[in-house]
Amino acid sequence: MQRTIKFVLNHPFTKGRPIAALAKLFKWQLLSRLNKRPVIHQFTKNSKLWVWKGLTGATGNVYCGLHEFEDMAFLLHLLRPGDLFIDIGANIGSYTILASAEVGAHSIAIEPVPQTFTYLTQNIQLNSIENKVTVLNIGLGKESGSLTFTKGFDTGNQVATAEDTDVINVAVDTLDNILDYQTPLLLKIDVEGFETEVLNGAAHTLASPGLRAIIIELNSAGDKYGFNEDDIHQLLISHGFKVAGYLPFKRELIDATRKTEHNTLYIRDENFIRSRLNAAGKIYVQGRKI
């Protein structure tokens, strides 16, 4: 609980409003203990999520509006109806719901673990965006085939290592294969250390100039698979991307360095991105405009 309180008080959306933030946290903690059934949370003005106690990937949105504030706000301000967003490691679908329910963009959401995939599809159905979202219950890698995944960690499962025993087999394809020459504007990759192999199967996608931004988690989780995530950074730089930070309330891109915790934002064609961000309409989260 102490860690959660610290997260809430230091979150960019709640910082400076400690009483309101803590009241929301403790209200959720109380109600989720009294009512153990899933409830519908109003995510943004035009989107909703199924949430329940302990659901990794959702409760941070309840406490703080947008769990990964800068990255989620960047998505909301960058995308437009008709754009293509790719959500690799979609989990319960928070990013997909923002892209397709709030903004109206098309999404391809990829989630390999069957139970988590069920949560994802339930959130898509809740928002009635089946016509905007393609969901794939597969993994991504450098080639087609199959991989073993853990299955006992709720929404925190990952590609299994030799030490894992409670595992399932999952079909795997490459990003280039599933896109079939479609080009996304924005790509989000959160695959618990397997990012290297995802990008090894995405050579055409990375080379496509229509791909303007990538949100990717590089927190050394790849070490357990023998991957050096410095290589990912160099790969993206070689394709013309640069690391950037985003200040959502100011709609401002800033120079930044690669993060070793949480997500790193890579962009290219900076003038295009700045124009999109500045021209985006207001988004309402918990009654506040961003």
Side-chain angles (χ1 to χ4, degrees), residues 5 16 21 55 71-72 81 83 113 139 144 147 149 198-199 228 232 259 267 279-280:
I5 291 173
L55 181 62
D71 302 316
M72 288 178 163
D83 288 338
V113 179
S144 301
L147 282 170
F149 279 75
V198 170
L199 292 174
N228 183 346
I232 293 178
K259 296 179 182 178
I267 64 169

Side-chain angles (χ1 to χ4, degrees), residues 171-224:
V172 173
D173 207 339
T174 69
L175 180 60
D176 284 346
N177 280 347
I178 67 166
L179 286 179
D180 192 23
Y181 296 98
Q182 298 177 89
T183 301
L185 181 71
L186 174 63
L187 183 62
K188 187 218 89 181
I189 310 175
D190 183 357
V191 290
E192 305 298 330
F194 213 65
E195 288 79 5
T196 295
E197 290 292 79
V198 170
L199 292 174
N200 283 341
H204 180 270
T205 303
L206 288 177
S208 175
L211 175 63
R212 267 36 184 268
I214 300 173
I215 298 168
I216 185 169
E217 187 174 43
L218 301 177
N219 60 4
S220 298
D223 291 352
K224 62 180 173 286

Side-chain angles (χ1 to χ4, degrees), residues 10 16 46 109 142 147 173 278:
N10 288 287
N46 299 308
K142 67 178 179 180
L147 282 170
D173 207 339
N278 289 329

Side-chain angles (χ1 to χ4, degrees), residues 44 66 72-79 98 102-103 280 283 290:
T44 58
L66 299 173
M72 288 178 163
F74 177 83
L75 174 151
L76 288 166
H77 292 154
L78 177 70
L79 293 177
L98 293 175
E102 179 60 44
V103 176
I283 304 292
I290 60 168

Side-chain angles (χ1 to χ4, degrees), residues 152-173:
F153 300 102
D154 194 38
T155 56
N157 288 294
Q158 59 191 1
V159 174
T161 64
E163 289 74 30
D164 294 308
T165 56
D166 188 17
V167 299
I168 53 173
N169 286 318
V170 173
V172 173
D173 207 339

